[in-house]
Structures are given as C-alpha cells and as structure tokens.
Amino acid sequence: MLATGELAYRAERLEALYACCELCPRKCRIDRRSDLGACRTPAVPVVASWGPHMGEEPPLSGSRGSGTIFLANCNLTCAYCQNADVSQSPGAWAGDATTAMDVARIMLELQACGCHNVNWVSPTHQVPALVRALTLAAGDGLVLPVVYNSNGYDAPEALRLLDGVIDIYMPDLKYAAARTGSALSGVPDYPAAARAAIAEMFRQVGAAWEIAPDGTLRRGLLVRQLVLPDELSGTSESLLWLAEELSPDIAVSLMCQYRPHHRATQLAGYPGLRRTVSRDEWKAALSALARSNRSRHTLVQQYRG
Ligand code: SF4
C-alpha cells in the first residue's frame, strides 16, 4: 500500500473526515481543524504516553512487549474508566499536540526497542493523524503489525478506510443494553454501534489468526469482554450475538479485572460498580463463554476476586 500510494490516499481520505467529523458514531459534524467535538480533541495527534507494554494479552505482549501508543482523550465517557487521567481529562493534554512526524518517530523507536507490534490505544478519534504518521514511518522502514485497540465505538465508514492498513483489531464489546451504555459511557447506541463496527472488523480480517514464528499475533481479531458486576456488561448476550451473527470461532479475551475507578463509586443507581466481580458472576461468564465460543485462541484472565 505504501509503494502504490494507496496508504497515502487512505490518509488523505481519513483526514478529509476532520472537516465535518463523523469519525465515530457520535457524528458531531464539526470541523476539527477549528472546533472541538465531544472527544475534545483537535485535528492533530495528541499522544499521552508510549512505550513497550507487557500488560497486554500474551499474543500481543510476547516476550519484548507491545509497542503501545496511548492517545489522549476519548469519544466515550465511561464512569469506571481505568485510564481517566489519559482519557477523561482533555484540559490536561490541550497543549500537547504533536505532529505526524513525531508519531512516526515514536513508531520507529518502538520497533527499534524490539516491540512485536505498534499498538494504537484508543485510536478512534485520532485515526486520520495516525494513518498519516504510518505513511511516514512505513516509508522509513516500519514493518511491524499495527493494532487497532479501541473501545468499539467506531464508525464503519471510517473503518472501511482501514481495510488492509490494520493487521490486528482488538475492540471492546462493552454492553448488550443501550440504556447501560447511555448511563455508564454517555452514548445512546453503544450495542448497535459496536456490533456494526465489529462486524466490519470481522469482514476485514476474519476469525482465523496469522501467528508469527515467535508465537505473537500478526493478523486477526480479538474481542475484549470486560465482565462487570451485576451483569452490566451483558456478557452472555454479547457472546451469543458474536457467535450467532458473526462466528463462534472469533477469539475473545474474557476479563475479570474490573475495579471501581474514576466516578464508579459516585454513580447513583449502580451500586454494583462499587465492588469487584463476584466469584459467581465470573463463573456465569465462563459458562456463557463455554456455550458460545469455540476459538482455540480465546483467552481467560485468572480470577483474583
Ligand atoms: S471523533 Fe470526536 S468530534 Fe468526531 S464524531 Fe467522534 S466525538 Fe465527535
């Protein structure tokens, strides 16, 4: 795609979306070059931090780390966000805009560090700038797989422009009920939007995994399912949807690491968010996984209470 000019063309098409932003299902339709939408992010890359990360799933972290680039701000406002200092504090990053060349240099440094991939964390609202940076980095020798690590609230129209650009999709599938997405993450249509986005990701890379000789993932889809207390995540329903509408062979990362971060303890009407997932809730999630999923790549966190 670099040699044919297709990668630069995709960057141009994505950058054009900044003029009337519909990069995510919020569809703010503002000009990001002069105005700020719900994600409070301008049309230049704003990177919060970056570096090799051993805390991702083993097929991504491998032995030398996943090359994470944490993008500042977010298009969701999750009450329990565990990265609120990065995602929910737009004022903190207002002056930290960087250039595409800066981000390209970061990608190349992550490759020089030996990272197995370049992992864009929360890329949805900044993806045009990231693809522009990728064209520069690829021109300077970047060959690592690119991971699109999102909250799942992505616009299929923008994702279609990433076909062939992204090697590994790792979206969340946060909720199965729209009212929960509205109360906990501030958007009215999370399940429908995330399902449409994941369907597009699946169309691009399928359920099969391509694995490198060192055992790390080179190409594929891994859907993250964070189990929430009181079944707020709708895990059973989401896993059933994934199996019936897309494929039971899609790899899932089932996670029990929920902790009451950010505003979780102050949210009226959701007392379950003040605690961790109970052993019984975790067992129910495991049963749902066994019923609906048969991928040999599916990953399950160890329950620690
Ligand atoms: S990416 Fe930001 S400005 Fe664009 S539609 Fe989403 S929230 Fe609005």
Side-chain angles (χ1 to χ4, degrees):
M1 293 178 83
L2 177 72
T4 61
E6 179 67 18
L7 190 57
Y9 173 68
R10 299 290 185 88
E12 265 169 44
R13 293 272 312 272
L14 283 161
E15 283 167 339
L17 296 179
Y18 278 143
C20 181
C21 192
E22 294 188 356
L23 275 170
C24 86
R26 282 190 185 268
K27 296 188 186 301
C28 296
R29 299 193 177 103
I30 48 94
D31 188 340
R32 293 268 301 270
R33 295 162 303 183
S34 56
D35 205 354
L36 298 177
C39 60
R40 314 299 298 165
T41 310
V44 289
V46 190
V47 173
S49 67
W50 58 279
H53 188 38
M54 294 304 299
E56 298 287 43
E57 282 81 347
L60 291 164
S61 290
S63 58
R64 299 188 301 275
S66 176
T68 47
I69 301 177
F70 286 86
L71 286 315
N73 310 329
C74 189
N75 59 339
L76 295 183
T77 54
C78 301
Y80 52 90
C81 181
Q82 64 176 13
N83 287 326
D85 54 335
V86 167
S87 302
Q88 304 297 322
S89 314
W93 309 102
D96 287 7
T98 50
T99 66
M101 187 58 83
D102 291 332
V103 181
R105 180 185 50 77
I106 288 170
M107 293 184 200
L108 290 166
E109 286 192 27
L110 290 168
Q111 180 168 271
C113 286
C115 292
H116 298 280
N117 44 64
V118 170
N119 184 348
W120 298 345
V121 184
S122 297
T124 308
H125 56 306
Q126 301 207 39
V127 74
L130 291 167
V131 175
R132 173 60 65 195
L134 185 63
T135 62
L136 300 173
D140 278 343
L142 184 79
V143 294
L144 294 181
V146 176
V147 184
Y148 189 91
N149 178 349
S150 84
N151 56 32
Y153 200 62
D154 296 284
E157 300 78 14
L159 290 173
R160 277 194 277 280
L161 290 170
L162 300 176
D163 192 357
V165 175
I166 300 298
D167 301 285
I168 298 165
Y169 281 107
M170 188 163 64
D172 295 335
L173 183 48
K174 290 179 180 293
Y175 316 108
R179 68 177 179 283
T180 314
S182 178
L184 303 191
S185 293
V187 291
D189 56 348
Y190 182 88
R195 289 176 183 188
I198 291 172
E200 171 58 21
M201 296 173 187
F202 174 68
R203 185 194 70 76
Q204 291 180 27
V205 298
W209 275 19
E210 192 181 313
I211 296 176
D214 64 7
T216 57
L217 178 58
R218 279 206 67 87
R219 179 178 161 85
L221 172 62
L222 178 62
V223 176
R224 276 178 164 169
Q225 178 64 208
L226 174 67
V227 179
L228 295 176
D230 290 342
E231 249 289 68
L232 290 168
S233 46
T235 296
S236 174
E237 193 179 334
S238 284
L239 292 176
L240 190 62
W241 171 82
L242 203 61
E244 289 187 343
E245 298 300 322
L246 299 183
S247 166
D249 295 318
I250 291 174
V252 170
S253 176
L254 192 71
M255 302 188 292
C256 57
Q257 68 186 41
Y258 173 78
R259 297 289 180 274
H261 295 289
H262 193 36
R263 298 184 285 114
T265 56
Q266 296 138 34
L267 203 65
Y270 292 88
L273 289 182
R274 295 173 198 159
R275 61 171 175 83
T276 57
V277 169
S278 71
R279 192 172 289 278
D280 283 348
E281 287 167 338
W282 183 239
K283 278 187 190 162
L286 290 174
S287 298
L289 187 71
R291 281 195 304 275
S292 301
N293 189 264
R294 63 181 188 209
S295 169
R296 64 193 172 94
H297 300 302
T298 281
L299 302 159
V300 175
Q301 263 186 347
Q302 194 177 357
Y303 183 75
R304 291 200 176 87

